[in-house]
Amino acid sequence: MAIINPLNPSHQLQFLRALSVRKEFSLDEKQYFHLLLKGYEGEKRWREYLNGFPSEIPILFDLTLKSNHTIFQVDALMVHQHHITFFETKNFSGNFTIKDGHWYHSNKEIKNPLIQIERNQTLIRQFVDQHHLQLTFDYLLVFVNPEFMLYDSKPRKKLILPPQIPNLIRNLSQMRHTPTIHHTKIIQTLLTHQTESPLFFTPKYTYQELAKGLFCKKCRNKMERKANRVICPTCKSQCSLENALLDLIHDFSILFPALKVTNQVIFNWCNGIISKSTIRRVLLNNYSLKGSGRGIYYERK
């Protein structure tokens, strides 16, 4: 497959990941964070399903678009010869039931995911008309978790259950794609009109209350420095000192976007585990130097 726009964690998920290891979350915050993590795992699972597609078929992941002042997100889309297929993925697990248009899980009513599909379809149609794109499209809701079960007597064309995925993949693989100027315009329009994903959920925090240091990307516990590497004493994962430092700087910029990245700021943020000379070297290699004298700071290249 030809990935035009790769799959990355959303800005909201990156923000909560950076915050979760440095601050104790409330129960509601933990549940919301877990929901985002599970959704991202579902998107990665769907990406694995699409890995076997012919290289000439363009696939875009994780688009944030705006139509009539309304922001909406698309998990993935595939460009065919005369058509685009949009995908909304859900990583639900367990037994679900539909009764009179209402969705239930463990006897509790949940939001109807088909309503989101209908809303996004309208916004996509408006986006297509606004940018004068000549194309047809469909929008599929794909349940990627093999442990998902839906009890519903009505067949639903836009809804793909786990046992139906292999057949869907086979059908999509048979569609050919010969790139034209028209396809280039469609892809460029989608990419150039992306908008920044807003933070819908921001727990309150201050710099002083957040834990400082290096944290493991797998188990989220504190890491220790061993020569030019950092090692997690809990899960034993490890990475280079430079990669750990870049992750730490990235987290700082997400949590405090209004603050400038300086050598002293990052030294304090890592709790002095990494020397200022190493921090300076990594910043100079990966960031642009701005300002002069005591006003020196760094911006991402």
Side-chain angles (χ1 to χ4, degrees):
M1 65 177 169
I3 298 178
I4 308 299
N5 200 62
L7 174 63
N8 292 302
S10 68
H11 184 51
Q12 177 77 83
L13 180 54
Q14 292 181 60
F15 168 81
L16 291 177
R17 271 181 172 173
L19 188 60
S20 66
V21 298
R22 297 173 169 88
K23 177 184 185 298
E24 183 65 30
F25 276 3
S26 68
L27 179 60
D28 287 343
E29 290 165 350
K30 288 179 181 178
Q31 289 177 340
Y32 183 71
F33 180 42
H34 175 74
L35 187 65
L36 288 184
L37 277 175
K38 190 171 182 180
Y40 180 59
E41 290 300 318
E43 292 176 33
K44 290 197 296 183
R45 191 190 297 264
W46 184 237
R47 180 184 60 187
E48 293 301 313
Y49 275 114
L50 301 182
N51 272 342
F53 275 79
S55 59
E56 70 270 13
I57 298 179
I59 298 176
L60 287 75
F61 293 97
D62 193 28
L63 295 177
T64 302
L65 304 171
K66 181 185 289 187
S67 178
N68 290 340
H69 308 291
T70 301
I71 293 175
F72 65 102
Q73 295 176 319
V74 175
D75 289 341
L77 66 85
M78 179 180 296
V79 182
H80 310 293
Q81 194 62 39
H82 305 291
H83 188 77
I84 289 184
T85 300
F86 291 86
F87 303 103
E88 173 73 23
T89 60
K90 295 296 182 185
N91 196 22
F92 293 174
S93 60
N95 297 325
F96 290 75
T97 306
I98 301 178
K99 294 180 181 179
D100 300 323
H102 298 273
W103 285 59
Y104 298 89
H105 176 51
S106 300
N107 296 321
K108 294 182 180 179
E109 186 172 1
I110 64 170
K111 290 183 179 179
N112 184 344
L114 291 173
I115 293 177
Q116 180 184 350
I117 293 295
E118 293 172 358
R119 169 185 174 275
N120 277 13
Q121 278 192 141
T122 299
L123 293 170
I124 290 171
R125 192 171 294 108
Q126 293 172 351
F127 182 90
V128 166
D129 292 340
Q130 178 184 352
H131 297 286
H132 309 290
L133 301 177
Q134 302 299 318
L135 59 90
T136 60
F137 69 88
D138 59 355
Y139 204 136
L140 301 179
L141 175 60
V142 186
F143 292 91
V144 296
N145 195 317
E147 296 182 4
F148 173 80
M149 179 66 71
L150 178 65
Y151 296 93
D152 179 28
S153 59
K154 296 181 180 179
R156 300 175 187 271
K157 293 181 179 180
K158 299 183 184 300
L159 194 153
I160 305 297
L161 302 178
Q164 298 172 308
I165 290 178
N167 188 54
L168 171 66
I169 296 298
R170 282 193 295 270
N171 291 337
L172 292 174
S173 298
Q174 294 172 0
M175 297 184 180
R176 297 294 91 188
H177 177 84
T178 303
T180 66
I181 295 177
H182 178 59
H183 295 114
T184 301
K185 177 186 176 183
I186 291 172
I187 294 171
Q188 287 181 342
T189 300
L190 289 167
L191 293 177
T192 56
H193 287 85
Q194 288 196 86
T195 186
E196 184 175 350
S197 178
L199 290 176
F200 297 104
F201 182 69
T202 53
K204 292 182 180 180
Y205 60 94
T206 64
Y207 177 87
Q208 288 73 20
E209 73 176 292
L210 299 187
K212 314 301 188 292
L214 300 170
F215 294 88
C216 178
K217 295 180 71 175
K218 290 185 178 179
C219 71
R220 316 301 289 165
N221 288 308
K222 270 198 171 185
M223 303 189 80
E224 299 175 352
R225 179 174 178 178
K226 302 291 183 181
N228 291 324
R229 301 191 69 77
V230 290
I231 300 173
C232 176
T234 304
C235 72
K236 308 305 179 183
S237 64
Q238 56 181 294
C239 67
S240 69
L241 195 63
E242 180 166 343
N243 286 339
L245 182 55
L246 288 173
D247 286 339
L248 177 133
I249 298 170
H250 179 258
D251 285 357
F252 175 83
S253 297
I254 287 179
L255 294 173
F256 302 100
L259 298 183
K260 291 180 178 179
V261 173
T262 69
N263 199 328
Q264 184 64 49
V265 163
I266 299 305
F267 179 75
N268 294 337
W269 186 239
C270 75
N271 205 27
I273 295 175
I274 303 175
S275 68
K276 290 183 180 180
S277 60
T278 299
I279 293 172
R280 184 179 297 107
R281 174 178 58 80
V282 171
L283 285 171
L284 287 172
N285 288 340
N286 297 274
Y287 285 70
S288 298
L289 184 64
K290 302 290 182 179
S292 60
R294 293 185 177 181
I296 286 178
Y297 64 97
Y298 299 85
E299 287 183 354
R300 188 72 181 177
K301 290 181 180 178

